[in-house]
Amino acid sequence: MEKIVVKGGNKLSGEVNVSSAKNSVLPIIAASILCADKCTLENAPMLEDVFVICDVLKSISCNISIDKQSNRIVIDTSDVTCSEASSDLVKKMRASFLIMGPMIARFGKFKISLPGGCNIGTRPIDLHLKGFTALGAEVNVGHGFVEAKANRLIGNKIYLDFPSVGATENIMMAAVTAEGETIIENAAAEPEIEDLAVFLNKMGAKITGAGTDTIRIIGVKKLKGTTHKPIYDRIEAGTFMVAAAISKSKIRINGANEEHLKPVIAKLTEMGVIMEIAEDSIIVDGSKNLKPIDIKTMPYPGFPTDMQAQMMSLLCCIQGTSVITETIFENRFMHAQELKRMGANIKIDGRTAVIEGVERLTGAEVKATDLRAGAALILAGLVAEGTTEIGDIYHIDRGYVSIEEKFKRLGAEIYRIKI
């Protein structure tokens, strides 16, 4: 067991390099199953979630080489078998379910345990299953497993009741070798969806419209191996943008893509944060007095739910009343209780949080209740009076590469201890 310890009060300065997006890399690794060939990922983030999905693939006989020095992952799926994936691994991480679509596409059948992941609310897989069924698979759910069979997947028009990222990805992967045309309507439009489509098209797929709400896929008979460098992580970039604002500092964030960060940029600008935006970096200056704002999380291109916790930490430090409405997950305010331990004034009513800014936060012993909550507590610790000790940091390690080292290089007093 480990903790992250943060001593508050230091100004940040310098620059930070954003890692590749975990939420791009996980479906891309799953998609490699579609070809009996080698796929190489360059500049892959060395994260716990990435290692878990690699282990899931190893459990179905993939050969995977991970080079932590060069951040390269080579995946050889030529020996993949249609055996059942490790239930323990699948239950460990929700994204493991993304191998379902590729396995059905390649083998015509697959059985997998129901997935696990962060406890931030119900994230049903019904839309994934609806998509598989529409493509001609026979799907059965029971005794903690999902099983699907199909002699041949056939293209179809599929309307998603909600623009689910995971369902969009799983259906895309299932459809790339289906006979005929598949149209996914009300599809998720996140940049990570577009990145997955770029990867699949490099493999030989025929996908258009990714990044919009309508994706068209013409089925192909066979896919080949390829090499790909995933997009940068917009949530990590957003986290460091908030770090500059909360600590009233000025830092350069390399790998920040303006197009992917529009809602975060808009809200920080509304608060009074100054930004200089270049092609592949953003300089963020939070030295001005900032104003309270209201935020409502929405599917992309709305404000991302994955930035809600970090913004709450910032709003706790701004005089006045701010309101956050969480529309994506019903249980994503668990970090509020931890921030209140640090002196924050937050009232929760259902999916709404009302935040009254306080003059200062104070260090405390807190727990990372989920991945983004952990990042929010680090941000709060940067400005809290005294020392903040954050437990359950395995959540943080699922989505941030060497986060304490990156903050150290910016001048924060932060370190990791064994307990």
Side-chain angles (χ1 to χ4, degrees):
M1 297 275 289
E2 293 181 319
K3 279 186 178 181
I4 286 178
V5 179
V6 189
K7 291 188 177 178
N10 288 18
K11 279 281 182 85
L12 305 181
S13 63
E15 56 187 282
V16 62
N17 297 322
V18 174
S19 300
S20 291
K22 175 194 79 141
N23 290 338
S24 266
V25 172
L26 299 182
I28 285 170
I29 290 172
S32 65
I33 292 169
L34 287 160
C35 69
D37 205 347
K38 280 186 183 177
C39 291
T40 302
L41 290 185
E42 304 285 2
N43 196 37
M46 296 294 117
L47 291 167
E48 186 58 32
D49 273 12
V50 172
F51 302 145
V52 169
I53 201 162
C54 285
D55 285 343
V56 170
L57 265 65
K58 287 177 186 177
S59 76
I60 53 172
S61 301
C62 280
N63 294 307
I64 298 179
S65 168
I66 300 174
D67 186 337
K68 293 183 180 179
Q69 294 300 313
S70 64
N71 296 327
R72 180 184 292 112
I73 300 176
V74 180
I75 308 159
D76 183 350
T77 57
S78 55
D79 294 328
V80 171
T81 61
C82 196
S83 56
E84 189 181 304
S86 164
S87 294
D88 288 342
L89 290 168
V90 173
K91 288 174 184 173
K92 197 172 179 181
M93 185 181 70
R94 182 178 176 77
S96 304
F97 194 70
L98 290 172
I99 70 171
M100 188 78 179
M103 290 298 286
I104 300 168
R106 182 163 166 185
F107 294 102
K109 61 178 181 177
F110 193 56
K111 182 180 179 181
I112 189 170
S113 172
L114 289 167
C118 270
N119 184 28
I120 56 176
T122 57
R123 295 187 280 178
I125 55 167
D126 57 324
L127 295 179
H128 300 241
L129 305 186
K130 174 183 174 180
F132 299 150
T133 302
L135 294 171
E138 180 187 324
V139 178
N140 292 298
V141 182
H143 306 290
F145 286 87
V146 180
E147 190 169 12
K149 296 178 181 178
N151 291 329
R152 178 81 170 127
L153 294 178
I154 307 294
N156 202 349
K157 183 179 282 190
I158 301 165
Y159 177 83
L160 297 180
D161 299 322
F162 177 83
S164 159
V165 173
T168 301
E169 291 167 342
N170 232 338
I171 295 165
M172 277 172 64
M173 292 186 284
V176 289
T177 56
E179 191 176 301
E181 182 180 37
T182 298
I183 300 172
I184 308 172
E185 295 180 326
N186 198 32
E190 272 77 356
E192 295 80 12
I193 300 283
E194 192 173 356
D195 200 29
L196 174 60
V198 169
F199 176 74
L200 290 169
N201 285 340
K202 284 183 180 179
M203 294 173 77
K206 294 182 178 177
I207 303 171
T208 56
T212 75
D213 62 2
T214 303
I215 299 173
R216 295 177 183 272
I217 304 161
I218 304 293
V220 298
K221 289 188 176 177
K222 192 177 179 184
L223 297 173
K224 64 181 187 301
T226 191
T227 298
H228 184 69
K229 182 181 176 182
I231 60 172
Y232 290 110
D233 193 322
R234 62 195 168 99
I235 304 303
E236 185 186 359
T239 300
F240 281 104
M241 291 167 75
V242 174
I246 199 170
S247 62
K248 295 187 175 297
S249 304
K250 185 176 181 179
I251 62 173
R252 178 192 292 274
I253 302 159
N254 299 320
N257 183 313
E258 179 187 9
E259 191 64 32
H260 298 170
L261 287 161
K262 276 185 176 179
V264 178
I265 290 169
K267 283 299 174 183
L268 288 174
T269 301
E270 186 182 334
M271 296 166 78
V273 177
I274 299 166
M275 277 170 273
E276 298 173 41
I277 299 172
E279 188 177 336
D280 58 357
S281 68
I282 298 177
I283 296 174
V284 183
D285 182 352
S287 58
K288 276 193 171 184
N289 286 331
L290 304 181
K291 300 179 294 187
I293 57 166
D294 294 346
I295 293 171
K296 185 177 184 179
T297 65
M298 296 287 284
Y300 189 86
F303 192 89
T305 181
D306 278 355
M307 281 300 303
Q308 177 257 106
Q310 300 92 309
M311 289 295 278
M312 184 180 285
S313 289
L314 173 56
L315 295 172
C316 288
C317 303
I318 296 172
Q319 293 299 306
T321 305
S322 299
V323 178
I324 297 177
T325 305
E326 173 60 60
T327 74
I328 308 298
F329 296 120
E330 76 279 5
N331 196 26
R332 205 162 197 184
F333 284 144
M334 291 188 291
H335 48 276
Q337 192 60 40
E338 300 303 305
L339 288 169
K340 285 164 80 170
R341 287 172 177 269
M342 301 176 72
N345 185 351
I346 306 165
K347 291 182 175 64
I348 306 294
D349 182 8
R351 292 195 176 209
T352 301
V354 179
I355 301 124
E356 292 286 346
V358 295
E359 282 194 17
R360 71 176 186 275
L361 297 173
T362 53
E365 287 194 22
V366 291
K367 287 184 179 180
T369 52
D370 62 72
L371 167 55
R372 306 307 172 185
L377 294 171
I378 289 176
L379 295 175
L382 292 175
V383 295
E385 193 175 90
T387 301
T388 300
E389 294 187 10
I390 305 163
D392 290 355
I393 62 171
Y394 60 89
H395 287 298
I396 301 171
D397 292 337
R398 288 183 47 236
Y400 291 93
V401 177
S402 305
I403 191 166
E404 74 277 12
E405 294 303 321
K406 290 184 178 182
F407 272 117
K408 259 186 206 170
R409 287 195 285 272
L410 291 171
E413 194 168 346
I414 179 173
Y415 51 93
R416 186 179 291 242
I417 59 169
K418 290 194 182 296
I419 54 171

